Amino acid sequence: MDVLHSASALLAADDGNTPAAAAFFGFMGCASALVFACLGAAYGTAKSGVGVAAMGVTKPDMVMKSIIPVVMAGVIGIYGLIIAVILATNVTPTAYTAFRGFAHLASGLSVGLSGLAAGMAIGIVGDAGVRATAQQPRLFTGMILILIFAEALGLYGLIVALILSTK
């Protein structure tokens, strides 16, 4: 019963309109958007970058063509940055409800976790695809299509996050 009392005390209004913990949830949404999206972008960049380096040993003339997975992984981090900035500008010290705080948390988690998943997919596909393209150049188009579908996962999270951030 003490846990429930403590939780309700956190959400109790301190000035009549704004719950004490609402801003916490809003800022946690902001942080989780950037942190998880950048984790996905970093993993995708590192994993596909290793593939580019390995491929560059056998086919150095194809290195610039094989940078595409690294660029696509970097875009995932931008999705998180966009939502983090939108959320940070909307969290206010007054008239910020618990509903908006929870919506902003959901928004940040939406783009962050989908960005993490997309970054992991881009990294794995980029690594294997770049190495395979070095051996068989006709695989390049298939690799790009798979990377586009992986990038779309992050885009879905961005779209849902934009919708949730306006609630």
Side-chain angles (χ1 to χ4, degrees), residues 34 37-38 41 71 73-84 111 158:
L34 192 61
C38 285
V71 173
V75 171
I76 299 294
I78 295 171
Y79 294 164
L81 177 64
I82 290 168
I83 294 300
V111 73
L158 175 66

Side-chain angles (χ1 to χ4, degrees), residues 25-94:
F25 290 110
F27 285 126
M28 285 304 294
C30 185
S32 61
L34 192 61
V35 168
F36 289 127
C38 285
L39 278 172
Y43 181 83
T45 299
K47 185 85 167 145
S48 58
V50 168
V52 171
M55 187 274 312
V57 173
T58 58
K59 302 267 182 144
D61 53 317
M62 293 180 65
V63 169
M64 290 310 291
K65 189 177 181 180
S66 300
I67 295 292
I68 293 172
V70 175
V71 173
M72 291 180 81
V75 171
I76 299 294
I78 295 171
Y79 294 164
L81 177 64
I82 290 168
I83 294 300
V85 168
I86 289 171
L87 296 181
T89 58
N90 286 330
V91 177
T92 57
T94 59

